[in-house]
Amino acid sequence: PRPVMAPVPPPSAPGGAEPPPLQYSLLLQHLVGEQRRPRAWDPAALGGIPSPPKSEEQKMVERAMESCAFKTALACVGGFVLGGAFGVFTAGIDTNVGFDPKDPYRTPTAKEVLKDMGQRGISYAKNFAIVGAMFSCTECVVESYRGKSDWKNSVISGCITGGAIGFRAGLKAGVIGCGGFAAFSAAIDYYLR
């Protein structure tokens, strides 16, 4: 025998008692309505890969990689490699590499060209490494001091780095370096975020 559903009571007359709410209305209130309880997002419950708690060694490595010293060293090495590649590239397309001003008609040898390319690569590598380390260190210190990670950190550290580099040529050059490097940092940060 099939169960028979109870008939829906007729609407009450004005001034009478309200009819009881329908069962699916109560169910909807719990599923999508005001009585719905938020659930904590757990990847393991959704079929994700459960991750074990981190060991003390993993936490120590994470702290070391987030330190200002590690970020500065990484930026220094990255700047050295990038600067070296840029220096070798610019020397490779420069027509004056290996040129001897005493004898302008002499064709430079491959050894002389490679020597000049190496010297320019090392020079660019050192400069890029210094600028990268200065910028990364000041950005990390500014971020630690402010306690925020936003675009202002890169602008402030860009101003400090550009000002320090330009200040060697005088106060005016330091101010121009501060403004130029800060604007460049803001543009890069805006593009990357």
Side-chain angles (χ1 to χ4, degrees):
R2 291 180 62 174
V4 179
M5 295 183 73
V8 177
S12 63
E18 288 269 330
L22 300 174
Q23 285 297 91
Y24 67 87
S25 297
L26 291 175
L27 184 62
L28 284 177
Q29 286 297 321
H30 286 282
L31 291 176
V32 293
E34 298 167 357
Q35 296 180 357
R36 182 176 68 111
R37 284 182 267 160
R39 297 168 81 190
W41 187 76
D42 183 15
L46 299 174
I49 300 171
S51 60
K54 294 180 181 175
S55 67
E56 286 302 316
E57 292 84 14
Q58 289 173 323
K59 291 177 184 177
M60 186 177 69
V61 168
E62 283 182 359
R63 282 192 299 270
M65 291 180 73
E66 290 294 321
S67 69
C68 290
F70 181 79
K71 290 179 180 179
T72 301
L74 189 64
C76 184
V77 170
F80 188 85
V81 170
L82 184 66
F86 188 70
V88 169
F89 174 74
T90 56
I93 61 173
D94 188 4
T95 57
N96 292 328
V97 172
F99 177 73
D100 185 11
K102 296 176 187 169
D103 188 10
Y105 296 109
R106 187 179 69 80
T107 304
T109 64
K111 184 178 180 180
E112 293 171 338
V113 171
L114 289 175
K115 181 181 175 187
D116 281 356
M117 288 175 72
Q119 288 174 345
R120 189 180 295 189
I122 292 295
S123 173
Y124 276 56
K126 288 178 186 176
N127 290 335
F128 274 56
I130 290 169
V131 171
M134 284 177 64
F135 181 81
S136 180
C137 183
T138 54
E139 184 177 33
C140 187
V141 169
V142 167
E143 183 177 330
S144 299
Y145 177 76
R146 291 185 67 231
K148 297 178 183 176
S149 178
D150 58 4
W151 62 272
K152 293 178 185 177
N153 296 338
S154 61
V155 171
I156 293 169
S157 60
C159 180
I160 292 170
T161 304
I165 292 170
F167 192 67
R168 295 184 298 178
L171 182 62
K172 185 177 178 182
V175 171
I176 292 172
C178 171
F181 218 102
F184 180 72
S185 299
I188 294 296
D189 198 74
Y190 176 77
Y191 177 75
L192 291 178
R193 289 184 193 225

